[in-house]
Amino acid sequence: MRTTWTTVGDGEFFCPGCGGDRNYAHRTGRRRLTVLGIPLSVRGTVGPVVQCASCEGQFGADTLDHPTSVRFSAMLRDAVHTVALAVLAAGGTSSRTVTSTAVAAVRSAGFEDCTEEELTHLVEALAADTGRYLPDGPAAGAADAAAAAAAACPYSATLAIELHEALGPLAPHLAPAGRESILVQGARIALADGPYSTAEREVLVTVGAALQLCADDTARLLAAARTPS
């Protein structure tokens, strides 16, 4: 019994066998009964599978759902940036301590050239943006969770959607500690000038929901962030 493979696509993926980004071939196969090297009859199909070009390991097609290391880093960087902007938009940018804390978080995530002026301008642009509100239901492609959060969130429907779009695709690929870390970073920005305002707390609760943290865990982390380490 032999399998004849046909490549139907290729690209780059995170190889579970190699533990890094590698090229892959997306393949399907046919099993044939062979006698003395002569194929006699087809015995069904195999796959599809994803075959690594380096280790030649074969994996299920769902392996492609995992982002590459490069893509994952970009998603994580964008997530921290979005959370920082959301907290600043809710709490304001008048406090230099708050904006400097936000800049430090964004720079540590990968935006090394980020400045306070840049974040302030982005927050002002976000406050002026009315193009993404949802008067008649969720926009095309927005998750139901984002729409529900937007409807329940008085500070800004736009912020709720931005948070779910940035954090929702990332959350399944983060360990619980990683998801909690993003929320705590946002909490520390909010606390840089004093206790949470109502709007800041609502933003952070939305962050927790987008990161797939339960309400109890979100409340615990927000309370713990108030205690100096």
Side-chain angles (χ1 to χ4, degrees), residues 31-195:
R31 285 180 175 168
R32 296 178 182 273
L33 178 62
T34 303
V35 177
L36 299 178
I38 301 174
L40 299 181
S41 61
V42 176
R43 293 293 185 175
T45 59
V46 182
V49 299
V50 175
Q51 182 169 331
C52 176
S54 296
C55 69
E56 298 187 351
Q58 293 185 340
F59 310 96
D62 58 352
T63 305
L64 299 180
D65 294 337
H66 193 291
T68 63
S69 298
V70 173
R71 175 60 181 151
F72 180 79
S73 296
M75 292 169 68
L76 186 58
R77 182 180 66 235
D78 291 345
V80 173
H81 187 265
T82 302
V83 170
L85 283 179
V87 174
L88 290 177
T93 57
S94 59
S95 170
R96 183 70 181 274
T97 303
V98 170
T99 54
S100 63
T101 302
V103 167
V106 172
R107 285 179 177 175
S108 67
F111 287 108
E112 298 177 358
D113 297 329
C114 179
T115 64
E116 293 183 38
E117 291 76 15
E118 177 184 341
L119 287 184
T120 299
H121 291 158
L122 287 172
V123 170
E124 292 172 351
L126 182 61
D129 178 23
T130 58
R132 299 193 61 190
Y133 283 82
L134 305 178
D136 299 315
D144 291 341
C153 191
Y155 59 86
S156 170
T158 299
L159 283 180
I161 293 172
E162 293 288 349
L163 287 169
H164 278 274
E165 289 183 348
L167 302 177
L170 175 65
H173 306 293
L174 280 175
R179 287 181 274 139
E180 292 179 357
S181 175
I182 293 177
L183 176 62
V184 170
Q185 283 184 322
R188 288 172 177 165
I189 295 171
L191 291 169
D193 63 344

